[in-house]
Amino acid sequence: MTIKLFDLIGADDARPFSPHCWKTMMSLAHKGLPYEREGVPFTEVPNVEDGISPIVPVIRDGSRIVADSFLIADYLEETYPDRPSLFGGEGGQAAARLVEGWSQTSLHPALGVIALLEIHDRLAPADQAYFRSSRESRMGKTLEQVTEGRAAEIAGFAARMQPLRHMLKSQLWIGGSEPLFADYIVFGALQWVRVTSTAQLLDAADPVAQWFERCLDLHDGLGRSVPAASA
Amino acid sequence: MTIKLFDLIGADDARPFSPHCWKTMMSLAHKGLPYEREGVPFTEVPNVEDGISPIVPVIRDGSRIVADSFLIADYLEETYPDRPSLFGGEGGQAAARLVEGWSQTSLHPALGVIALLEIHDRLAPADQAYFRSSRESRMGKTLEQVTEGRAAEIAGFAARMQPLRHMLKSQLWIGGSEPLFADYIVFGALQWVRVTSTAQLLDAADPVAQWFERCLDLHDGLGRSVPAASA
């Protein structure tokens, strides 16, 4: 049975941009599991599957409903053990939680500033109002005030990728010789900005940029199937 | 046969401090392999095992000589597969390289500034001269000039641990329910400063400090067997 994926969208359903939903799309493709996207704008997330989760991604696989990109990866690994592993064993599954910690605390805050207004501008009007009020209330600043830090975050972003750059001296993927869910965690963060923002974060010759290009090629070019944002 | 470990020392052989040698001591203990330390001051490293390596740790296991803490972990995992795993599978082994990248690029540079003069002061005179000239030549500054940044690095250090702090909301160890080599990578960095420096980097209530205390308890309190530096 085809898995259903509830996936965050803006005004254009064909340009999914949520970093977490991208982790799940890559996970499903990695497992070779067919899935059908149902686009959900911000203001409709509370209605997904009768309000099962305050966040997307959510998947429905037969009678099972699972929310949260990491828990979905755990579920897929347990449910489809004969398909390619997302973790490469328990040690990889555990270490992916540190990769998530790094992505959430070191990459996402910077990327969120960089793409903030561009994300807003790509939403439908009702979602723009929700996005503005929820983010401004959380941050205690207007979207425009937060965005004053954009140029500095762009300038500093390449340095934030030093851990991955160092690792790439040893191997092609966080998963080693093949990509694993840990790669998709970091891929999701960069794809979020690739799809929403015109910011240029990395030089093409940067090993991190080359790793990202390899990610875009995976699974028949799934990530590349959504063109990069243009001005 | 007992494995021989060549381990960096200062003036006091009983206070090993190298972060990389600590990774290897924890790896050997994790595998339950008896070992015998041979302390090596900085100026003697080039003579270890007829100059096999410009760095320590180096181990000799029978006729095999292996240098570099990560390669030693790889060697131990391959050679002693029936003993507790250091990686929890290939995914964990690969992801540990990103943990190493994070530790080397985000933690070590800050910790190196914090402990720089204190490390110097703990060396024997010939090693002090070598340490000063090699570090000053590499950094283009005197040890004292680099140390001008110490207070700022101490103040900012807790924030550098955010990725681990985030992960600790999910699990007790980078290895998941049990520690793995990836834990020892980060432990080595903090132990380096615990043994050499009086700097206080983390509040006792910080989940990262609590994780470090758990690390100090491992393997019959191996890490704790060397008392913290006192002023």
Side-chain angles (χ1 to χ4, degrees):
Chain A
M1 194 187 313
T2 297
I3 292 173
K4 184 153 187 177
L5 165 65
F6 296 93
D7 177 29
L8 192 69
I9 55 166
D12 183 351
D13 177 71
R15 297 187 61 79
F17 62 91
S18 155
H20 309 294
C21 294
W22 272 108
K23 294 179 207 171
T24 295
M25 282 190 274
M26 296 294 271
S27 299
L28 289 163
H30 185 100
K31 285 282 186 190
L33 294 164
Y35 63 93
E36 187 177 275
R37 285 179 58 230
E38 178 165 329
V40 183
F42 272 109
T43 49
E44 291 298 323
V45 170
N47 300 323
V48 167
E49 293 286 0
D50 300 324
I52 188 110
S53 164
I55 55 167
V56 287
V58 169
I59 66 165
R60 175 151 40 85
D61 184 17
S63 63
R64 279 294 301 272
I65 299 170
V66 187
D68 179 282
S69 61
F70 207 115
L71 297 181
I72 290 169
D74 288 344
Y75 165 80
L76 296 175
E77 189 76 350
E78 190 183 341
T79 308
Y80 302 98
D82 297 337
R83 290 168 178 264
S85 174
L86 282 163
F87 295 116
E90 290 185 6
Q93 191 160 11
R97 282 289 189 186
L98 182 59
V99 179
E100 179 186 60
W102 174 58
S103 180
Q104 288 300 125
T105 65
S106 184
L107 308 184
H108 275 239
L111 295 170
V113 169
I114 291 167
L116 189 66
L117 268 185
E118 290 163 295
I119 293 169
H120 171 271
D121 293 348
R122 290 175 181 278
L123 304 178
D127 296 303
Q128 288 190 347
Y130 160 80
F131 185 83
R132 178 176 289 277
S133 78
S134 62
R135 269 55 182 174
E136 292 187 347
S137 154
R138 187 195 300 167
M139 302 184 294
K141 293 183 184 180
T142 66
L143 301 185
E144 289 74 12
Q145 284 170 330
V146 175
T147 301
E148 287 169 12
R150 184 175 189 267
E153 291 293 0
I154 292 173
F157 189 76
R160 293 183 180 271
M161 299 304 292
Q162 271 293 97
L164 185 62
R165 200 171 288 117
H166 189 282
M167 183 212 79
L168 289 167
K169 291 189 264 183
S170 303
Q171 58 201 27
L172 284 173
W173 305 97
I174 306 173
S177 56
E178 301 289 340
L180 292 174
F181 184 64
D183 289 277
Y184 304 149
I185 291 171
V186 185
F187 168 76
L190 294 185
Q191 175 77 335
W192 177 33
V193 172
R194 175 181 171 274
V195 171
T196 57
S197 171
T198 58
Q200 292 300 310
L201 301 178
L202 300 169
D203 286 340
D206 185 338
V208 174
Q210 293 168 354
W211 163 86
F212 184 61
E213 292 295 318
R214 291 196 293 277
C215 289
L216 289 169
D217 289 335
L218 291 171
H219 313 311
D220 300 321
L222 174 61
R224 210 184 288 285
S225 68
V226 178
S230 54
Chain B
M1 194 186 312
T2 297
I3 291 172
K4 184 153 189 179
L5 165 65
F6 296 93
D7 177 29
L8 191 69
I9 56 166
D12 183 352
D13 177 71
R15 298 187 61 79
F17 63 91
S18 155
H20 309 293
C21 293
W22 272 107
K23 294 179 207 171
T24 295
M25 282 190 273
M26 295 295 271
S27 299
L28 289 163
H30 185 100
K31 285 283 186 190
L33 295 165
Y35 63 94
E36 186 177 275
R37 285 178 58 230
E38 177 164 331
V40 183
F42 272 110
T43 48
E44 291 298 324
V45 171
N47 300 323
V48 167
E49 292 286 0
D50 300 324
I52 189 112
S53 164
I55 55 167
V56 285
V58 169
I59 65 165
R60 176 153 38 89
D61 185 16
S63 62
R64 279 294 301 272
I65 299 170
V66 188
D68 179 283
S69 60
F70 208 115
L71 297 181
I72 290 170
D74 288 344
Y75 165 79
L76 296 175
E77 189 76 350
E78 189 183 344
T79 308
Y80 301 99
D82 297 337
R83 290 169 178 263
S85 173
L86 282 163
F87 295 116
E90 289 184 7
Q93 192 160 10
R97 282 289 189 185
L98 181 59
V99 178
E100 178 186 61
W102 174 57
S103 180
Q104 288 301 124
T105 64
S106 184
L107 308 184
H108 275 239
L111 294 170
V113 169
I114 291 167
L116 188 67
L117 269 184
E118 291 163 293
I119 293 169
H120 170 271
D121 292 349
R122 290 175 182 279
L123 304 178
D127 297 301
Q128 288 190 345
Y130 160 80
F131 185 83
R132 179 176 288 277
S133 77
S134 62
R135 270 55 183 174
E136 293 188 347
S137 154
R138 187 195 301 168
M139 302 184 293
K141 293 183 184 179
T142 66
L143 301 185
E144 289 74 12
Q145 285 171 327
V146 174
T147 301
E148 287 169 11
R150 184 174 189 267
E153 292 292 1
I154 291 172
F157 189 75
R160 294 182 179 272
M161 299 304 291
Q162 272 293 97
L164 185 62
R165 200 171 289 118
H166 189 282
M167 184 212 79
L168 289 166
K169 292 190 264 183
S170 303
Q171 58 200 27
L172 285 173
W173 305 97
I174 306 174
S177 57
E178 300 289 340
L180 292 175
F181 183 65
D183 289 277
Y184 304 149
I185 291 171
V186 185
F187 168 76
L190 294 185
Q191 175 77 335
W192 178 32
V193 171
R194 174 180 171 275
V195 171
T196 57
S197 172
T198 59
Q200 293 300 310
L201 301 178
L202 300 168
D203 286 341
D206 184 337
V208 174
Q210 295 169 352
W211 163 86
F212 184 60
E213 292 294 318
R214 290 195 293 278
C215 288
L216 288 169
D217 289 336
L218 291 171
H219 313 311
D220 299 320
L222 175 60
R224 210 184 287 286
S225 68
V226 178
S230 53

